[in-house]
Amino acid sequence: MIKNALLSLKKNIGKTILLFVIIVVITNLVIAGLSIQSATKKSMDQIRSSLGNDVTLSVDFRNMMKNRKPSEAVSNETSLTTTMADSLKDLKYVKNYNYQISTSANSNSISAVETASDNSNNQPEQASNQVDFTISANTTMKYLDSFTNNNYKLTKGRLLTTKDQNTNNCVIETNLASDNDLSVGDTFTITTTVNDETITQELTIVGIYEIQSTNEIGSAHFNNPVNTIYTDLSIGQTLTGSSENITSAIYYLDDPENAEAFVELAKKKSDIDFDTFSLDANNRLYQQNASSLESMQSFAKMFVWIVVIAGSAILCLILALTIRNRYYEIGVLLSLGQSKVKIIAQQLIEVGLIAVVAFVISLGTGQLTSHYMGNMLESSSSSNVMQMGQKGDQPNDNQNQSDSNQQKNNTQTKENFLGNMIQGPSNQELDVSITGENVIQLAGVTATICIVSIAVPAAYVLRLTPRQILSRKEG
């Protein structure tokens, strides 16, 4: 059969070339669609692991403003407590958490890093009343966005962890340390006033960090991130005069996709008044960009199906016309006692030999097709991705300026990450390289197309008897 198949291919060289070209085109398009599917899935996994797995519990001042009566003052006594926050930390989906207090302080022993705006004479009275430092008190610094996203980099010592609970340890910025000739192990004091009482707190430096990327350098005094001092949560409680109140509680989930489920579960399982407090799922950027990639993935899947169906139909038509021209040959073979299975098998071998060569070639040319299609899809979606990224996480109204700085930096990092991933050749491209799984899938699809394209026309012809076939005029 193989010998007869080779002779047939050689004899009908025009048909052979036509089939070869069609199968090469089909396999190239299929491998492109499959590789784009794999690339979008990989990109979604990267986004999932990098973005939006945190949910923030805080006072919802926007909702309070919305619900207040005209001219009614907003209560300053509404506070988030550790008891409220604790009611959510052990719920399903929560991997880790961090309680945060944001406050401010002055110091008589060290000086804040000054900026150009500090030297301005436009608002001298405001400047004279301005505090020097932002205090960011946390349960742990391990999950802070500025550090996990490498906007801030630890240069000396260590970050604070849960082991620093109830200690006076702190972490400061390298410029603040340099200006005051401070290093790891040194101590200094900060002061604040609570209920007309001056509170003095000594701090010991255990780590020094350097700001790698931020948009906020240049703002005055405590708004300047170089004047942010990180401490344990207990220090924040001391400086605010409350052992219960916190600014926010951040819950880090096992998967960004579970954010909405966690919010719903929290509302069912806790007694927290969610007209006063809000759970802000910072997964909007993930959802927006995942949606874009899901659309690309759906398009690639639909594209593969269209190519398979259209390719099978075209091959069926060509082979049907070819078999019509071989009526006499088939009729003679059947008359000589050759089985219909062997006749179909020979047809399948002929197409299979062409498909094997086309398959091998498509493994090389398919990579080029994949990159071309990938770049085309990227260029059509990148502008939408960046626009959605700019509509991403916005700071809560109840967060102080330091928290806003961190969230803006985090948003900028997310946008840059997505921009680099989705943008064109000069940046990191969508990885449309052909994987081993793609090769196996392509082999299966190619084999299916060949079998279907042979079986359909062959079944039509071979249902006839040898007499009926021979009675038909060849050609």
Side-chain angles (χ1 to χ4, degrees):
M1 285 191 297
I2 296 178
K3 182 178 180 180
N4 290 338
L6 291 172
L7 291 173
S8 178
L9 291 176
K10 185 177 180 181
K11 177 183 177 182
N12 302 288
I13 189 66
K15 181 204 75 172
T16 302
I17 294 174
L18 178 60
L19 289 176
F20 174 76
V21 171
I22 292 174
I23 295 176
V24 165
V25 171
I26 292 173
T27 51
N28 271 270
L29 294 177
V30 169
I31 195 65
L34 293 174
S35 61
I36 290 173
Q37 276 187 271
S38 299
T40 51
K41 184 178 182 302
K42 188 187 300 182
S43 297
M44 288 171 65
D45 291 339
Q46 291 174 349
I47 295 177
R48 183 180 291 114
S49 63
S50 303
L51 301 176
N53 69 327
D54 56 296
V55 178
T56 302
L57 175 66
S58 57
V59 179
D60 191 347
F61 284 106
R62 282 175 294 185
N63 199 38
M64 291 173 64
M65 289 291 292
K66 187 188 302 182
N67 295 331
R68 75 185 180 95
K69 296 178 181 178
S71 302
E72 181 182 8
V74 178
S75 174
N76 291 325
E77 298 180 358
T78 302
S79 299
L80 178 65
T81 65
T82 53
T83 301
M84 297 178 189
D86 286 343
S87 67
L88 304 183
K89 70 179 184 180
D90 295 321
L91 290 182
K92 184 180 179 182
Y93 310 122
V94 178
K95 289 183 63 178
N96 298 290
Y97 67 92
N98 178 40
Y99 298 165
Q100 194 171 62
I101 295 175
S102 296
T103 186
S104 57
N106 291 304
S107 177
N108 294 323
S109 61
I110 63 172
S111 300
V113 176
E114 293 189 358
T115 59
S117 58
D118 295 331
N119 299 321
S120 173
N121 294 321
N122 293 335
Q123 295 175 313
E125 182 178 350
Q126 181 180 349
S128 64
N129 296 327
Q130 186 170 260
V131 293
D132 289 334
F133 303 101
T134 292
I135 307 299
S136 178
N138 298 271
T139 307
T140 176
M141 293 178 66
K142 183 177 180 180
Y143 310 107
L144 294 182
D145 290 333
S146 294
F147 291 92
T148 58
N149 291 333
N150 295 319
N151 286 345
Y152 295 1
K153 179 182 178 182
L154 183 70
T155 57
K156 295 179 182 178
R158 62 180 178 82
L159 299 180
L160 300 178
T161 67
T162 53
K163 294 181 180 179
D164 293 288
Q165 184 177 359
N166 297 321
T167 68
N168 65 340
N169 295 336
C170 72
V171 176
I172 65 174
E173 207 274 335
T174 183
N175 290 285
L176 180 61
S178 176
D179 282 12
N180 292 278
D181 196 24
L182 296 172
S183 60
V184 173
D186 289 345
T187 62
F188 62 93
T189 59
I190 55 175
T191 60
T192 190
T193 302
V194 178
N195 298 326
D196 297 325
E197 178 184 351
T198 299
I199 297 176
T200 301
Q201 175 67 52
E202 184 179 74
L203 299 177
T204 300
I205 302 170
V206 297
I208 297 176
Y209 68 93
E210 181 179 11
I211 296 178
Q212 304 289 307
S213 173
T214 182
N215 286 333
E216 302 303 324
I217 290 180
S219 56
H221 267 109
F222 78 102
N223 288 340
N224 190 336
V226 300
N227 290 322
T228 297
I229 301 173
Y230 292 90
T231 70
D232 174 58
L233 191 71
S234 61
I235 300 296
Q237 292 171 334
T238 299
L239 296 177
T240 56
S242 173
S243 60
E244 269 286 307
N245 296 344
I246 57 177
T247 303
S248 62
I250 306 172
Y251 303 95
Y252 301 93
L253 309 184
D254 52 2
D255 194 306
E257 290 186 339
N258 294 328
E260 292 183 8
F262 170 72
V263 172
E264 293 300 318
L265 183 63
K267 291 180 178 179
K268 290 180 181 178
K269 296 290 185 179
S270 71
D271 297 325
I272 297 173
D273 179 11
F274 286 101
D275 288 330
T276 304
F277 302 92
S278 66
L279 270 175
D280 180 27
N282 298 325
N283 68 334
R284 288 187 294 273
L285 191 61
Y286 164 76
Q287 290 177 337
Q288 290 163 344
N289 289 283
S291 175
S292 176
L293 288 169
E294 283 173 353
S295 297
M296 192 183 297
Q297 189 177 43
S298 297
F299 170 80
K301 185 176 182 179
M302 181 177 65
F303 178 79
V304 170
W305 276 108
I306 291 174
V307 170
V308 169
I309 294 172
S312 298
I314 293 171
L315 286 178
C316 283
L317 178 61
I318 293 175
L319 291 172
L321 294 175
T322 301
I323 289 177
R324 283 175 60 87
N325 291 331
R326 299 175 67 177
Y327 272 179
Y328 183 79
E329 175 188 345
I330 293 172
V332 170
L333 291 174
L334 289 174
S335 299
L336 294 175
Q338 188 158 145
S339 68
K340 294 180 179 180
V341 174
K342 286 187 176 181
I343 294 175
I344 295 175
Q346 180 178 328
Q347 299 290 323
L348 188 59
I349 290 173
E350 291 178 15
V351 176
L353 291 173
I354 299 172
V356 168
V357 177
F359 173 82
V360 173
I361 292 176
S362 68
L363 294 181
T365 57
Q367 186 73 63
L368 299 176
T369 307
S370 299
H371 278 293
Y372 176 78
M373 289 187 60
N375 290 335
M376 183 175 63
L377 290 172
E378 288 167 11
S379 62
S380 65
S381 64
S382 59
S383 59
N384 293 332
V385 170
M386 294 306 296
Q387 289 173 1
M388 289 187 294
Q390 292 170 358
K391 297 177 183 178
D393 301 341
Q394 297 293 331
N396 292 333
D397 291 343
N398 61 301
Q399 300 289 336
N400 66 17
Q401 187 65 35
S402 176
D403 294 331
S404 299
N405 295 346
Q406 290 185 20
Q407 290 193 14
K408 287 177 183 176
N409 292 338
N410 185 30
T411 301
Q412 181 190 21
T413 301
K414 292 174 182 178
E415 291 172 2
N416 289 341
F417 171 82
L418 290 167
N420 290 336
M421 185 184 68
I422 303 295
Q423 290 289 332
S426 61
N427 298 318
Q428 183 181 352
E429 295 181 348
L430 194 68
D431 184 8
V432 291
S433 57
I434 299 174
T435 65
E437 182 181 3
N438 295 149
V439 174
I440 295 173
Q441 291 174 330
L442 177 63
V445 170
T446 304
T448 301
I449 291 175
C450 292
I451 292 172
V452 170
S453 60
I454 286 293
V456 172
Y460 172 77
V461 174
L462 296 181
R463 67 184 177 83
L464 304 174
T465 64
R467 182 183 180 86
Q468 290 173 320
I469 294 174
L470 290 172
S471 66
R472 293 172 179 265
K473 185 178 180 180
E474 183 177 351

